[in-house]
Amino acid sequence: MTDIVLSNRRLSPGAKHALSVFARYATIIGLVLMLAAFSILSPKAFPTLGNFTNVINQASLAMIIAGGLTMAVIVGELDLSIGFAASLHGVFVTGLIVRHGLPIPAAIVVILLVGALIGLVNGLIVTKAKVNSVIATLGVGTILTGLAFAYSAGVPIVAGVPEAFLQLSLGRWLFGIPNNIVIMVAVLGSLWLLVEKSAIGQEIQAVGGNPAAARLAGINVDRIKILGFVLSGVCAALTGTLLASRLGSGTTSAADSYLLTAFAAVFLGSATLRDGEFHIIGTFVGALIIAFGFNGLNIFGAPTYSQYILQGAILIIAVGLSSLGRQMAEN
């Protein structure tokens, strides 16, 4: 029994309730306070519709890949290959279009299928070979990095990228809303419906909550875990494709940094509204906190290294809040 549990039992009911409320709403309160502080300190630059739209647009890719990671984490596993996979997909999709002359829609479909295949491989290694998901996905991610260098020789694929592909990420095809935001809303909305409103979503949550009990209830635990990895892989593929479209090139390490951002968003989200449970809306809120935090640092001219410090600190705080939420739920 941990010290946290022992000390928690000594608290009065009122203090326990207050601690529970803090664990659930601390991230939202923190987001609101951060927005208010930045708005007061920079009233002309920060609280504008243009800036908010730009922040959400920039954060959309992180939200998509974090949404996929949420599916793997909900079923009780970790996927460390997502950043490397997204980088590989960015290289592959531009290569398919530029070098092999594949039509843009066909290239995107192929990349999404490759993403699903990578997720399937991760899932099979974890469930059938019984390899820890951290080791398995880290190994797969390293292999993917090697494949990206092998395909591109480490040279970004830039020349010949068609304008139509660039407009996939830079365009505003629906009521002037940036395409990335529209796609992000569609992806996160679909994942939320899958987890919260479908029968298979109940199985996903059951496997994540107690795999042994889920197996006794007749749920195919391995199949559900593999599904979580496949969805994570598809979201990584979509992120890599959109990033290549935004950058106008396929670069071998372009999306690597999304790994830490996605984990920070997912764990921040688990401390949002629920007692340490991973869920899509929480991940969205977590990604918003990170995005507006970076935006505020940029507006105030903070050096680049401060973003890494902020992101690392957010991840540590997020895991702490998530653990606190689970402790409160257990008591």
Side-chain angles (χ1 to χ4, degrees), residues 188 280 285:
L188 294 191
I280 296 297
V285 174

Side-chain angles (χ1 to χ4, degrees), residues 124-136:
L124 290 174
I125 293 174
V126 171
T127 59
K128 304 304 181 185
K130 305 299 181 185
V131 178
N132 181 280
S133 62
V134 173
I135 303 301

Side-chain angles (χ1 to χ4, degrees), residues 293-308:
F294 285 176
N295 180 245
L297 292 177
N298 288 330
I299 288 177
F300 295 116
T304 303
Y305 65 79
S306 62
Q307 294 188 5
Y308 293 98

Side-chain angles (χ1 to χ4, degrees), residues 164-179:
F165 181 63
L166 302 182
Q167 288 303 312
L168 174 67
S169 185
L170 302 178
R172 295 171 180 252
W173 298 339
L174 186 64
F175 306 118
I177 303 172
N179 289 350

Side-chain angles (χ1 to χ4, degrees), residues 192-309:
W192 180 83
L193 287 173
L194 175 68
V195 175
E196 305 291 341
K197 301 296 180 182
S198 71
I200 197 169
Q202 294 179 358
E203 294 186 2
I204 291 173
Q205 296 188 57
V207 170
N210 190 328
R215 188 172 284 108
L216 290 174
I219 297 174
N220 188 330
V221 173
D222 287 355
R223 181 175 63 88
I224 294 298
K225 285 181 178 286
I226 291 172
L227 175 62
F229 278 110
V230 169
L231 291 172
S232 179
V234 171
C235 287
L238 181 58
T239 300
T241 300
L242 293 174
L243 182 62
S245 171
R246 175 189 287 175
L247 298 176
S249 67
T251 307
T252 49
S253 59
D256 291 0
S257 63
Y258 281 113
L259 175 63
L260 183 57
T261 304
F263 268 88
V266 168
F267 277 92
L268 265 178
S270 70
T272 302
L273 301 177
R274 297 182 183 179
D275 294 324
E277 296 179 14
F278 300 100
H279 57 113
I280 296 297
I281 292 178
T283 297
F284 174 73
V285 174
L288 279 182
I289 292 174
I290 297 170
F292 279 110
F294 285 176
N295 180 245
L297 292 177
N298 288 330
I299 288 177
F300 295 116
T304 303
Y305 65 79
S306 62
Q307 294 188 5
Y308 293 98
I309 295 174

Side-chain angles (χ1 to χ4, degrees), residues 90-123:
V91 172
F92 273 178
V93 74
T94 50
L96 289 175
I97 296 170
V98 174
R99 294 181 176 177
H100 306 287
L102 213 62
I104 294 172
I108 294 173
V109 170
V110 169
I111 291 302
L112 294 179
L113 291 175
V114 172
L117 178 62
I118 292 173
L120 177 63
V121 171
N122 279 332

